[in-house]
Amino acid sequence: MAKLKKLNLCVLISGNGSNLQALIDACTVPEFPAQIGLVISNKASAGGLVRAKKNQIPTLVVDHKAYPTRADFDRVMTKAMEDNSTELICLAGFMRLLSDAFCDNWRDRMINIHPSLLPSFKGLGVQQAAIDAGVGFSGCTVHYVRKEIDTGPIIVQAAVPLKSFDTADSLAARILVEEHKIYPHAVRLIAEGKVTISNERALTADNDRQTQSLINPPIEN
Ligand code: GAR
């Protein structure tokens, strides 16, 4: 049987890397259409680096503090990714802003995961912001990256209901469970060529299969 041509990913992290782990786990399945060629962290202490090394994935630390400008930092990362033949960048808890030139260079080849239902609740502290706003659902979003923070065509979202007793931590934990499902799902859709960007919307035929509405609080029956 012909060997599956896999989409070559570079995952950018700054911390624990539980989303990186979800991608690593997905990539261990032989039929999964992507592989992780490189993991880059801007922090040498990031727990995600240990996860990568355990799985024999090449790692690189690019410490942003070592570079005078954001553009210099971004150029070093781009060189490493080009040398590694990166086809898709996955930001997974990468807590650095990227330069406009970097976003342009990797346009439609860079995705991010964010713990809210974008375009609501951009930036940091988004779980507390969702609680404070009193929304019935928050969730998570995988989207293509544009220059403005937490913007870009939305590929996959998962809705998570809020509970009256939620804290930022309890909500973050429930959202994270869904993040670990939708990040590999989004990568698969892209790798299988199912996502088309049109008028800044990321469309897949699979969207039309979702017919279930969610109501919170639920209607008694
Ligand atoms: C995740 O919740 C991710 O969505 C969030 O950081 C966490 C990283 O966790 N990213 C952002 O807030 C980016 N705007 P992880 O290191 O365990 O994957």
Side-chain angles (χ1 to χ4, degrees), residues 15-20 51 92-95 112-115 123-124 126-127 150 176 179-180:
N16 175 32
S18 69
N19 277 294
L20 165 65
R51 299 177 188 271
F94 185 69
M95 296 309 195
N112 179 43
I113 187 152
H114 180 77
L124 297 174
V126 296
Q127 293 89 356
D150 298 329
L176 210 47
E179 291 185 42
H180 299 160

Side-chain angles (χ1 to χ4, degrees), residues 7 9 33 87-90 108-111 142-144 155-156 183-196 202 204:
L7 190 72
L9 312 177
E87 295 173 291
L88 182 72
I89 299 174
C90 298
D108 299 346
R109 298 185 296 151
M110 174 160 57
I111 63 177
V142 180
H143 63 98
Y144 284 101
I155 306 158
V156 186
Y183 217 173
H185 179 40
V187 168
R188 175 188 281 279
L189 288 171
I190 292 168
E192 289 178 345
K194 289 185 171 171
V195 183
T196 309
T204 80

